[in-house]
Amino acid sequence: MKVLKYPLIPFTLFIAAGIITGCTYLMPLYFVLGILLITLTGTLIAYKITKNALQPKPYFEVSILLLGFSLGLLSQWIYYAPNAKSHYSHFVKNDSIPVFYGTITERLKPNEFYEKYLFEVKGVNKRAASGTLLLTLAKDSLKTTLHTGQMLFVQAKPEEIAPPAAYYQFDYSRYMVLQNVFHKVRLKNNYVTTGTDSRFLMHVYRLRDTLINSYAQHHYPVKIQLLINALVFGQRQDLDPNLNSDYTNAGVVHILAISGLHFALLFVIFNWLLSPVKRIKHWGTAIHVMCILALMWLFAFITGLSASVVRSVVMFSFLLVGQALNRRVSIYNSLAVSAMVLLLVKPAFLFDAGFQLSYTAVLGIVIMQPLYKRKLQSKHLIINNLRDLVMVSLTAQIAVLPLTLYYFHQFPLLFLVANIVVIPLSNVVLVLALVTLVLNFCWAWAAAFTGKLLLWCINIMNSFTHWIASFENLLIKNIPFTPVMLLLLYSALTAALMYLYKKSFKNALTAVVLVLICQCSFIAIKYSIDNKCELVVFQNFNHSIIAQKQQDKIIINTSDSTALTNLNVTNYIRDNFNPNTVVKPLQNFLYSNKQRIFIMDSSGIYPPKITPDILIIIGSPKVNFDRVLSTLRPKRVVADATNYKNFVTRWSKSCAKQKIPFHATAEKGSFVLE
């Protein structure tokens, strides 16, 4: 297979392996430097041995790969913020409330209750410091918000970011740790603004705000304006949830992210506008390339330097420089070098879903392109263009299928139809949006005309996407998919691809065996889950929900009539391979895994002669809890999230006195009894 001929690809993969190892095992600097020194010495020795050899030896290749692994370890150690002596965590003491000074660097996607921001720490208690905090600001009727570049003094004790409510939920705390964010601070009346940061990035962000505000003269509906913000400027924080859901369910959500499509259009536009520069003697080509690169990198900064944006602009930079030097640049080497540079500079990109999906999609398109172009060639240009559009969408979807199933647990069957229509339409929308943006500042009448045309095209695109998404029967949802299944499916796809490139018995046998292994692993995983019995007390604040997993059946015990639409419940059912599920009223007595369970509700009534193994408290009963513990003598106490916080605190102290394990789901997440 052609892709395997490029040594930079395995070198980059070994760098990624080093980063993963560095994240999993925190190593001291002397150990990392020792590994780097050993691998570097080994590489030099292997090079000297193999330089004059008549037969190629594997020593040098192996040593180079190990060197890449050690570079990944070192880049991860350098990137890990607490390794720096200036990190704020080294200055925060448990017995005091520190004062942080710093700058808002990014506004994150808000949730139902809070606005979220990344806060770059510059000082703690009048001492220079570094690091990043997650700030949360409660939404209020005044719609108080902070802006990128604002400088703040914040007096607060940093809190650890809460772990997921259950093992089957997205681990936001782990995700933030990988982004070098370890604590959060709640803003209320404990901060003051002190001005605006004057660094380059802040000027870029203010330029972005100016460009976004230029569309205000068109008086677009809020939903349309927010879609333009996402398409043109990469600002998806406030995108309408229903609109985002339509694009996701139709299989075209990728057009809402800044990607290679945007940079290809920008390159065509900038190349055309700056073509006269090439006529300058001697330095024309160099100036032309530098101007295009400067403009494209400025756009990348404006859009926020997300993983897919950086990947696209770095790749285009390599291609442009290669063309300027009259060098034929391999797309495989460009992919590998861009990934290598990004991972060495910011190892956290490796764990970003956008980074993974972006590179996998491009690699899939590039690998499959020679196959379909060789066999599906036509004399007619229109047919070839239609073929490219269909095959690019199809190959990209196949390439990212395992990742899509792993992250999103759904698959739209109409993705091909949606992409054939929406991708060309999105190109038109992007061009119109950029033209309108320029005209907003120089020709109001023309801007009004193109602005109306832009609105018309967006409405058509939204309507078509909504229509495709409305075929709910053609959207497969709640697909269970584990990391093991992800790796096995990619192995099978790789083997099948190798067979397509070289149709040999060996490759065919490898592909068949891997497909069989995938199927057998699926059966084994499902069998293991079907025979699992457990009880789960969910972290749910509105109603008490307790699930009993009994082999191939789930019983949901609750008084909530809408429990089956609860996100915790649907995720739990999905990760258990969607067995038969029934909802029953919540009773006071349950029996699970040979454990007797008594549920004390808001009435506070309990039989005095029972001795439950587990006592579950719901609804904030007003009881003498010390007496309850003395009477019932439970082996463990669980308080779900429907209880008042001050009650839970008091119960926790009572359990601690009597040395009874206590679990509060509001603080520790869902309780699981296996």
Side-chain angles (χ1 to χ4, degrees), residues 266-292:
L266 285 174
F267 171 71
V268 171
I269 294 171
F270 293 152
N271 189 50
W272 175 68
L273 291 175
L274 297 171
S275 56
V277 176
K278 291 182 179 180
R279 299 173 187 173
I280 300 174
K281 289 184 178 181
H282 306 299
W283 298 99
T285 301
I287 295 173
H288 178 261
V289 170
M290 286 190 291
C291 288
I292 291 178

Side-chain angles (χ1 to χ4, degrees), residues 99-142:
V99 177
F100 295 96
Y101 172 67
T103 305
I104 301 290
T105 56
E106 185 178 351
R107 177 174 174 258
L108 303 179
K109 185 176 181 179
N111 60 24
E112 186 179 356
F113 306 104
Y114 294 98
E115 290 283 348
K116 298 179 181 179
Y117 306 91
L118 291 184
F119 179 71
E120 181 186 343
V121 177
K122 293 184 176 180
V124 178
N125 296 332
K126 298 183 180 180
R127 296 180 64 180
S130 62
T132 304
L133 289 168
L134 173 66
L135 301 186
T136 61
L137 178 64
K139 292 182 177 179
D140 56 29
S141 58
L142 300 177

Side-chain angles (χ1 to χ4, degrees), residues 525-635:
I525 292 170
K526 190 175 188 308
Y527 177 81
S528 174
I529 291 176
D530 284 347
N531 287 276
K532 179 179 66 175
C533 295
E534 66 180 12
L535 178 139
V536 180
V537 181
F538 289 103
Q539 185 196 62
N540 196 62
F541 293 89
N542 297 324
H543 297 87
S544 297
I545 302 177
I546 301 174
Q548 287 178 280
K549 173 73 170 58
Q550 299 176 349
Q551 294 184 342
D552 60 346
K553 183 174 71 172
I554 293 177
I555 300 173
I556 305 297
N557 301 280
T558 183
S559 59
D560 183 9
S561 59
T562 63
L564 291 180
T565 63
N566 183 285
L567 185 60
N568 289 334
V569 174
T570 55
N571 287 346
Y572 182 74
I573 294 171
R574 180 201 67 213
D575 285 3
N576 282 282
F577 283 71
N578 303 303
N580 294 325
T581 304
V582 295
V583 179
K584 291 185 177 181
L586 191 61
Q587 304 293 328
N588 290 105
F589 291 93
L590 293 175
Y591 190 77
S592 178
N593 291 334
K594 299 180 181 181
Q595 301 276 326
R596 291 171 296 178
I597 301 166
F598 175 68
I599 301 172
M600 180 185 292
D601 56 26
S602 58
S603 66
I605 300 174
Y606 59 93
K609 295 184 179 181
I610 64 168
T611 54
D613 295 295
I614 298 175
L615 171 63
I616 300 177
I617 312 172
I618 65 174
S620 303
K622 298 178 180 179
V623 293
N624 185 324
F625 195 64
D626 290 321
R627 183 184 301 167
V628 170
L629 294 178
S630 300
T631 303
L632 300 182
R633 298 184 180 278
K635 296 177 182 177

